[in-house]
Amino acid sequence: MARKISVIQYKRYESKYEKLLEEIPKLEDEVKAAREHGDLSENAEHDAAKAKLAMAKAERADLEELLKCEIVEYDKSPLLVAGSILRISSPALTEGPIVVQLSDVGDLVIEGCLNTATPLGKIIQGKLPGQFTVGKDIFTVEKIMNPNIEEFIQMYPEEDVLIKSLFDKAERE
């Protein structure tokens, strides 16, 4: 099954990708500079710079794959499907309701998205909005029919908080 992302997600991934393309040469320079600080077997600065560069390159590879995904239009039906913008509330959400996009992005965990592979994502996909139970938690899911795209993008800035923490508790049960 091909991965699907929305226009919102595509714009966010494209922006992150462009920033990484600018950041990677700087990180490569940091590795070179750290290499000059002596014996590599005892050079923590060099190890840290290499690790940072490796993480950036791995993120770049992930983003390159995401930018190849099929782009889905906003869904106008009442069903909860990939591309739908949702408001989710639950007593399990200590910071209050969240707004996310239901997304089919394989095993990836992406900020601002509820992956269809998560326990809650699996339960709600293809259903009408309402209450859903995951483990011992009850989630109320509403669909936002005419989302403000720019407002949604601003909810999840570059230094994002991954939404994965919401579902960690349910997955452990």
Side-chain angles (χ1 to χ4, degrees):
M1 176 185 237
R3 291 180 177 177
K4 298 175 184 178
I5 61 175
S6 70
V7 174
I8 291 173
Q9 291 169 302
Y10 186 87
K11 287 179 181 180
R12 288 171 48 217
Y13 303 150
E14 185 177 49
S15 173
K16 282 184 177 185
Y17 183 75
E18 289 169 3
K19 287 178 183 176
L20 273 175
L21 290 180
E22 293 173 10
E23 183 181 341
I24 287 175
K26 294 174 188 172
L27 293 173
E28 289 169 339
D29 290 341
E30 286 180 25
V31 170
K32 288 177 190 172
R35 188 178 299 138
E36 296 172 5
H37 293 143
D39 184 4
L40 293 181
S41 66
E42 297 179 13
N43 189 336
E45 186 179 339
H46 181 259
D47 292 342
K50 279 178 48 178
K52 209 168 156 184
L53 176 61
M55 286 180 15
K57 286 183 174 181
E59 185 176 4
R60 178 186 65 191
D62 287 345
L63 289 169
E64 285 170 349
E65 288 302 310
L66 286 168
L67 291 172
K68 294 176 188 174
C69 292
E70 176 185 347
I71 297 175
V72 293
E73 295 297 321
Y74 294 100
D75 172 51
K76 299 298 181 194
S77 81
L79 297 178
L80 305 173
V81 296
S84 299
I85 305 292
L86 311 174
R87 181 176 295 107
I88 301 174
S89 57
S90 170
L93 300 172
T94 56
E95 295 183 18
I98 59 170
V99 176
V100 295
Q101 184 170 33
L102 187 59
S103 303
D104 176 11
V105 289
D107 295 332
L108 298 176
V109 176
I110 300 167
E111 70 289 339
C113 296
L114 169 58
N115 193 328
T116 56
T118 63
L120 182 58
K122 287 178 186 176
I123 291 171
I124 69 172
Q125 190 172 8
K127 305 256 182 6
L128 289 169
Q131 289 194 334
F132 301 90
T133 303
V134 176
K136 296 178 183 174
D137 296 319
I138 298 173
F139 295 89
T140 300
V141 181
E142 304 169 62
K143 183 169 182 179
I144 301 173
M145 293 301 290
N146 296 305
N148 178 329
I149 295 173
E150 295 306 317
E151 184 178 314
F152 181 79
I153 291 172
Q154 290 172 8
M155 278 191 241
Y156 296 96
E158 215 55 61
E159 299 73 35
D160 11 280
V161 175
L162 294 180
I163 202 155
K164 182 178 187 291
S165 60
L166 168 63
F167 304 102
D168 281 347
K169 180 180 174 187
E171 288 175 348
R172 279 178 280 185
E173 293 180 2

